[in-house]
Amino acid sequence: MLKLEKRQADSRLMSYVSPLIAIVLTLLAGALLFSVLGHDPLHALYTFFISPLTNAYGWTELGIKVAPLLLCAMGLTLCYRAKIWNIGAEGQFIMGALGGSMAALQFLDAESRWVLVPILISGSISGLLWGALAAWLKTRFNANEILTTIMLNYIALNALLYAVHGPLRDPAGFNFPESAMFADAALLPLFSDDYRLNISILFALFFTVVIWTVMARSWVGYQIQVLGEDAKAARYAGFNTNRLTWFALLVCGALAGLAGVAEVTGPIGQLIPHVSPGYGYAAIIVVFLGRMQPFGILLASMLLALTFMGGEMVQIEMSLPKSLTGLFQGMLLFFLLAADLLISYRIVFQPRTARA
Amino acid sequence: MDIDLITNILFATFKTGTPLILIALGEMVCEKSGVLNLGQEGMLLVGAVVGFIAASVTGNYFLATFCAIFAGMGMAFLFGYLSITLASNQVATGLALTIFGGGLSAFLGTNYIGIGLEGIQVWSVPLLSDIPVIGKVLFQHDPLVYLTLALFALVFWVFRSTRLGLKIRAVGENPEAANAIGINVQQIRFMAVLFGGAMTGLAGAYLSLVYTPMWSDGMSAGRGWIALSLVVFASWKAERILLGAYLFGFASILHLVLQGTRFEVPPNIMAMLPYAATIIVLVWLSSDAIKTKMSAPKSIGQPYRPLA
């Protein structure tokens, strides 16, 4: 008989092995799924997970998707380390895209690259304000942040839909719910004209380092750590928990907002209804899979970025639904939670006879 | 405002409130047993898509409704196995269930987007449905609206006057004590979670077979989360869930109300209302934080593992 037995202390090793177990289990379940759908599982898994990265173009496309995931995930890490369950990165991302687009549409004739500065700032501040709303609701009214941030996501989505159907719609756009295309000067610079990869990946890497330094080396980072591990201890120590909550949510909002504005001034180039394929939600998986550690989060955001590309790939190559992306992401998180039990429990084998 | 408009508003309030009642009742039972399942949205979507597929394939709505219920229970089983049997963190597991359900339902429903179904037809109560106004508001609904009210009565009765209701509450208030007097905590909790899944699956069927007989990705539009807030709003009392759900239903169809006036508000702005209302409710509840804490099941969210 297999039995779960509580460990004396949590296993550090297992906390790093568990994501690998989750990935293997997801691949196995994926293989099973593909064979049920009547496809050669190995070929399908190859198409989903490997073929997107077989050329330089694929790697640059991966970079485009890693950037928003990394920005959202680093912000969320700050919140989750303080045990503030912010699910609102998606809404903050959308508000960033919306606020940035409002600015970008003021500069349709711009020729100087400097217009990017007010555009990016306006996007980040929009995201920050959306995060501020969640912080205010939590600190002032003690409203559950899971529920409020999810509601704010839906409100942000409707604000975006309102904007593209109304005030921000391109007057010359044949009534399509899209804004005008931004001026070339208002688009993020590319590394090379052959690829779509832009400098947003540098922002993402820069802020990954910044956030990590804040968490590992600063006083406020230490306070957040304590707050997350023992809220009572944090209060006894005299930490201002409300101020920490504000800090975490504002930073997360600003980073997710930056990711949003980088998306509309990057690969998209205008405001559209489907500005996010779910980066804000996928970033939650990134944080858990990456163990809230910078290097882990970098790897996890690459994996999640790959699931977005894999979905498109199997749609093009094998005419399988693109929504496999969400299914793989969901399985990954589920298997991770199951495997995480091995951190505090061990599986022991008990011969049946021993119980008699 | 003329009488027809008022009739329509009340009628729509009933319809919009129905799925919220189902989800919130299921979640209430779950929470009363001490389990916080944040996976409602995921179970709802899977129930909706499975019900819709079953109805498209077989044409049998009765069967399709059962398929949706079983799909909801299947999802709830996953949640229960992880969070009860293996004692994983309930918040994280619930969120995972929602994300997984969103992905799974989008995948299953790929080939069914944009197909319309006739939907479950109205089942008018003979004679009563002929009464003016009241007849249309109360007695010209589809069978699921009546079933929902019956299920409400069942849950109300179970907690008011049965041993089972007492057992569920005991398990949610103090699992150690419940265990000591011989109640199987894990079993009661698992049953409560499965019941929650069944109710949410049924609510999913209501969405995709009655409310808007079609399938689109994410069609639940946050109703699972709104229902979660409703449970808190109702301070874990079935009768208040009924009231709260109809209030929310009313908030969601305010555009109908505005039709009678000269105000013109863009539809996307109107669509924000139920979410904004939920936030307002959460804020309002916090002014009564102590009362909320008193009425919440004591061991909510805490896994329980009996000593072997």
Side-chain angles (χ1 to χ4, degrees), chain B residues 231-280:
Chain B
V231 177
V232 186
F233 167 76
S235 47
W236 294 267
K237 291 193 171 63
E239 65 277 16
R240 292 198 197 168
I241 282 181
L242 201 64
L243 177 76
Y246 289 134
L247 279 176
F248 265 89
F250 182 71
S252 326
I253 52 125
L254 269 179
H255 59 275
L256 271 181
V257 180
L258 286 184
Q259 267 178 14
T261 69
R262 251 171 288 155
F263 286 110
E264 240 184 84
V265 184
N268 296 118
I269 301 291
M270 291 304 292
M272 294 176 184
L273 267 177
Y275 311 116
T278 306
I279 293 180
I280 291 168

Side-chain angles (χ1 to χ4, degrees), chain A residues 65-89:
Chain A
K65 292 179 165 63
V66 164
L69 284 170
L70 201 51
L71 282 169
C72 292
M74 286 317 284
L76 289 177
T77 302
L78 207 54
C79 295
Y80 292 176
R81 284 208 159 214
K83 292 230 164 67
I84 299 163
W85 299 112
N86 173 16
I87 317 293

Side-chain angles (χ1 to χ4, degrees), chain A residues 18-27 29-30 49 76 80 85-87 150 278-292 300 303-304 307 324-343, chain B residues 38-39 42 75 78-79 82-83 86 88-104 225:
Chain A
S18 150
L20 300 178
I21 298 177
I23 293 169
V24 170
L25 288 175
T26 306
L27 291 177
F49 287 103
L76 289 177
Y80 292 176
W85 299 112
N86 173 16
I87 317 293
I150 282 171
Y279 287 138
Y281 295 117
I284 300 173
I285 307 174
V286 169
V287 177
F288 283 116
L289 199 64
R291 306 282 90 168
M292 304 196 199
L303 180 64
L304 268 287
T307 60
L324 275 167
T325 296
L327 188 59
F328 271 102
Q329 291 176 351
M331 287 198 296
L332 203 51
L333 184 57
F334 232 99
F335 284 129
L336 181 71
L337 276 168
D340 271 354
L341 290 164
L342 295 174
I343 297 173
Chain B
L38 296 183
M75 291 289 281
L78 281 181
F79 176 83
L82 279 179
S83 70
L86 301 181
S88 71
N89 178 311
Q90 292 176 10
V91 171
T93 312
L95 283 175
L97 193 71
T98 287
I99 292 178
F100 176 67
L104 180 64
W225 296 107

Side-chain angles (χ1 to χ4, degrees), chain B residues 25-233:
Chain B
L25 281 177
E27 176 67 17
M28 185 191 83
V29 172
C30 216
E31 291 186 12
K32 283 240 186 213
S33 80
V35 183
L36 177 69
N37 184 354
L38 296 183
Q40 301 296 333
E41 190 76 6
M43 302 195 297
L44 186 61
L45 281 168
V46 172
V49 77
V50 168
F52 188 82
I53 294 172
S56 309
V57 173
T58 66
N60 183 336
Y61 288 107
F62 191 68
L63 184 72
T65 306
F66 268 94
C67 288
I69 292 173
F70 279 118
M73 288 173 82
M75 291 289 281
F77 181 85
L78 281 181
F79 176 83
Y81 188 74
L82 279 179
S83 70
I84 301 173
T85 313
L86 301 181
S88 71
N89 178 311
Q90 292 176 10
V91 171
T93 312
L95 283 175
L97 193 71
T98 287
I99 292 178
F100 176 67
L104 180 64
S105 61
F107 170 70
L108 292 174
T110 307
N111 296 326
Y112 293 88
I113 292 175
I115 302 174
L117 274 184
E118 206 177 43
I120 298 178
Q121 294 304 302
V122 166
W123 189 76
S124 299
V125 182
L127 294 177
L128 291 176
S129 60
D130 296 332
I131 307 170
V133 186
I134 298 173
K136 157 120 191 190
V137 171
L138 294 179
F139 300 112
Q140 283 186 30
H141 284 284
D142 51 273
L144 293 189
V145 169
Y146 308 125
L147 178 63
T148 301
L149 291 173
L151 286 167
F152 158 75
L154 176 75
V155 171
F156 183 79
W157 172 72
V158 162
F159 281 108
R160 192 183 173 87
S161 43
T162 67
R163 280 182 75 85
L164 177 64
L166 269 180
K167 273 188 187 174
I168 295 174
R169 286 214 314 253
V171 164
E173 293 293 332
N174 190 337
E176 284 79 16
N179 185 54
I181 59 167
I183 299 176
N184 187 335
V185 175
Q186 311 273 55
Q187 190 188 30
I188 294 275
R189 286 190 166 180
F190 220 114
M191 290 300 174
V193 165
L194 288 180
F195 177 77
M199 293 289 272
T200 307
L202 180 61
Y206 185 82
L207 289 181
S208 66
L209 299 179
V210 179
Y211 195 70
T212 44
M214 53 159 216
W215 164 253
S216 62
D217 282 0
M219 72 181 294
S220 54
R223 283 184 181 82
W225 296 107
I226 291 177
L228 272 161
S229 326
L230 254 180
V231 177
V232 186
F233 167 76

Side-chain angles (χ1 to χ4, degrees), chain A residues 113 189-197:
Chain A
R113 282 245 182 251
L190 305 177
F191 286 101
S192 143
D193 285 339
D194 299 336
Y195 306 112
R196 300 197 300 161
L197 185 66

